[in-house]
Amino acid sequence: MRIGQMAKAADISEYTLRYYERKGLIRVKRDDVGRRCYEESDIEWIKFIKRLKDTGMLLKDIREYSRLRYEGNGTMPERLSMLETHRKYVLEQQRKWAEYLGNLDDKIAFYKRSIGSSI
């Protein structure tokens, strides 16, 4: 499939697809005139890259994960380790955001009490 079709299928912009390719996150075959030719299997891979980014994985780490993925199943232990490490990071971020949310809730409650008592 062409880049426009892939962008639609993966719910991502053509610009982002080109960026992922430039950064070595995806490897795209080309036809005889140089047009990108994506495969159906690329859809889930691109969506997974996006999820890694959304969870805060650094681009350099996604690039390394991608490199290992393209090397084949023999790299599964390394990829598993990377995901386990990233999971710990996500859990720590989740803990921090829960604390931040608690702080906001406390301040909102303070304002509500203060405003309510002055009316």
Side-chain angles (χ1 to χ4, degrees), residues 54-114:
D54 289 346
T55 61
M57 184 179 269
L58 298 175
L59 186 62
K60 70 178 185 67
D61 294 330
I62 299 172
R63 187 178 311 130
E64 176 62 12
Y65 185 94
S66 178
R67 183 188 67 75
L68 291 168
R69 177 186 176 269
Y70 281 111
E71 284 184 16
N73 289 343
T75 65
M76 285 178 133
E78 293 102 307
R79 288 183 277 157
L80 172 61
S81 177
M82 289 182 76
L83 292 178
E84 289 173 334
T85 298
H86 186 61
R87 184 179 190 280
K88 290 175 188 173
Y89 166 81
V90 170
L91 287 171
E92 177 59 22
Q93 294 307 304
Q94 187 178 37
R95 186 198 62 75
K96 285 181 185 178
W97 281 102
E99 183 181 328
Y100 300 155
L101 182 59
N103 292 338
L104 283 171
D105 288 343
D106 290 346
K107 188 54 82 172
I108 289 168
F110 167 80
Y111 281 120
K112 285 182 177 181
R113 284 190 309 275
S114 296

Side-chain angles (χ1 to χ4, degrees), residues 24-52:
L25 307 182
I26 57 175
R27 297 177 186 173
V28 183
K29 294 178 183 172
R30 303 274 181 150
D31 66 12
D32 55 348
V33 292
R35 292 178 295 206
R36 292 170 177 84
C37 296
Y38 294 91
E39 298 177 12
E40 286 291 323
S41 61
D42 293 327
I43 296 170
E44 287 307 312
W45 171 232
I46 290 166
K47 287 180 178 180
F48 185 67
I49 291 171
K50 186 176 183 309
R51 285 192 299 270
L52 290 176

Side-chain angles (χ1 to χ4, degrees), residues 3-20 26 38 42-43 45-51 53:
I3 193 167
Q5 296 166 305
M6 176 53 75
K8 190 172 193 173
D11 193 28
I12 201 165
S13 72
E14 292 180 26
Y15 172 84
T16 301
L17 285 170
R18 289 183 193 101
Y19 175 79
Y20 284 2
I26 57 175
Y38 294 91
D42 293 327
I43 296 170
W45 171 232
I46 290 166
K47 287 180 178 180
F48 185 67
I49 291 171
K50 186 176 183 309
R51 285 192 299 270
K53 287 185 64 186

